[in-house]
Amino acid sequence: MKRFLKINDIEICVDDTQQGENALLLVHGLTADKSSMYPIRDMFKDDYRVITIDTRGHGESTRPEKYTIDDHALDIHEIIKELDLKKVDLLGYSMGSYIALRTAEVQCDDIDHLILLCTKPNGKTSSVARLLKEANLDITQITQEEMMGVILKASLAPHSLEKVANGELDVGELLGSDESPELSEEEKAAEDASLANFDNSKDYDKVTCKTLVIGAEYDGINPPELGREVADGIKDAEFELIKDAGHLVIVEQPDEFKKIVENFLKN
């Protein structure tokens, strides 16, 4: 069920399956919205109450002119409170993993399991902005299609790129279509600015929940060694490497991804 929560002077759009004893909250990546997390939702909706959200600045949620990762973190804690959840399992993907980690660093007593998929400890800007700069492209000037082209080259394993080129793999169809209008140039700039010089590595000691970091062998956006660095910094955190996959690991190796996450959540 989709609903809007009024928190922190904005509205956050939430999609809640409402079924299941344990809650799994999913946080999407750069320029995306909650629909990009539906493949993960569908993997776990039979066993968990799965909650997907449009973070501030994205999807159907309020799109402020300025915001930070800390704003996202406070939003998530308020979402947990508004939905009357004692604890959640929190999974963040790419940019969503930076947000999820910061959420745990701000406060951990309402988080049971923390899963960071394709993550990194810090950055001067977003990983996608870095890739676009290397390709001499401006994040505020390109279309979603152009951006996806750059992302695909950096985020798929070699065999998957071949399948895309041959028409055997439709990544867009597998990920699901966006429910909301694309971000405007100003909104993309605000999103990029929210990641400028972020650094989650200074507060690893504040993460006391059970933590799993998942990296992908061919991830050119957030290489797996960066994820391992995060795992090494958090006490007792686990690290798993999924082979033959890139940044779009949930498309390339969905069964392996699901198995790793299920094992972690059940232990």
Side-chain angles (χ1 to χ4, degrees):
M1 181 185 76
K2 186 171 76 173
R3 59 188 290 197
F4 290 86
L5 302 180
K6 292 185 177 181
I7 58 172
N8 299 326
D9 297 322
I10 63 168
E11 285 192 336
I12 293 288
C13 186
V14 171
D15 195 334
D16 185 354
T17 63
Q18 299 185 297
Q19 302 295 321
E21 183 177 349
N22 297 319
L24 174 62
L25 196 157
L26 308 178
V27 189
H28 63 77
L30 191 80
T31 74
D33 61 21
K34 61 185 175 299
S35 68
S36 67
M37 302 301 281
Y38 288 169
I40 300 179
R41 176 199 64 184
D42 293 344
M43 291 179 188
F44 297 99
K45 64 182 181 181
D46 290 339
D47 299 308
Y48 294 86
R49 175 182 176 179
V50 185
I51 301 158
T52 53
I53 66 172
D54 290 333
T55 62
R56 64 167 62 208
H58 301 79
E60 298 178 85
S61 294
T62 303
R63 300 185 180 187
E65 291 183 3
K66 294 181 180 179
Y67 53 91
T68 67
I69 285 185
D70 280 353
D71 290 329
H72 287 306
L74 294 175
D75 289 344
I76 289 177
H77 285 300
E78 283 299 309
I79 290 168
I80 295 170
K81 182 179 178 181
E82 284 294 313
L83 294 179
D84 197 26
L85 304 170
K86 293 182 179 179
K87 278 185 179 286
V88 301
D89 296 325
L90 181 61
L91 186 156
Y93 168 56
S94 195
M95 181 190 76
S97 71
Y98 322 152
I99 295 170
L101 176 53
R102 190 62 192 153
T103 301
E105 290 176 339
V106 168
Q107 177 184 332
C108 237
D109 58 4
D110 55 0
I111 301 172
D112 192 3
H113 296 81
L114 175 67
I115 302 170
L116 308 174
L117 175 61
C118 298
T119 195
K120 65 179 181 181
N122 47 46
K124 293 182 178 180
T125 183
S126 69
S127 299
V128 172
R130 171 182 57 80
L131 289 172
L132 295 175
K133 184 177 180 180
E134 291 171 357
N136 295 315
L137 295 170
D138 185 343
I139 191 171
T140 67
Q141 300 294 327
I142 66 172
T143 66
Q144 194 77 11
E145 184 178 355
E146 290 171 326
M147 182 179 291
M148 182 56 72
V150 174
I151 292 173
L152 284 180
K153 290 180 181 178
S155 59
L156 288 174
H159 70 277
S160 296
L161 281 172
E162 290 182 11
K163 288 183 178 180
V164 171
N166 295 332
E168 299 174 36
L169 179 64
D170 186 337
V171 175
E173 182 178 343
L174 289 170
L175 286 176
S177 59
D178 287 348
E179 294 184 336
S180 310
E182 291 184 14
L183 301 184
S184 68
E185 293 177 9
E186 293 78 14
E187 289 163 349
K188 288 178 183 177
E191 176 191 51
D192 195 48
S194 74
L195 299 177
N197 299 309
F198 86 91
D199 190 353
N200 285 331
S201 66
K202 298 177 181 179
D203 292 311
Y204 288 149
D205 60 315
K206 296 179 181 178
V207 180
T208 57
C209 54
K210 296 178 282 291
T211 303
L212 169 67
V213 180
I214 303 175
E217 182 180 13
Y218 291 104
D219 189 350
I221 293 181
N222 287 333
E225 56 266 25
L226 296 180
R228 188 177 289 278
E229 182 180 333
V230 173
D232 289 344
I234 299 173
K235 184 179 179 181
D236 298 327
E238 302 175 28
F239 179 81
E240 292 281 355
L241 177 67
I242 298 181
K243 301 219 177 211
D244 297 321
H247 199 68
L248 295 180
V249 59
I250 59 174
V251 171
E252 297 180 279
Q253 298 292 347
D255 294 339
E256 180 66 11
F257 166 76
K258 182 180 180 184
K259 181 179 75 174
I260 289 171
V261 172
E262 279 182 334
N263 289 340
F264 175 68
L265 292 177
K266 290 177 180 178
N267 290 331

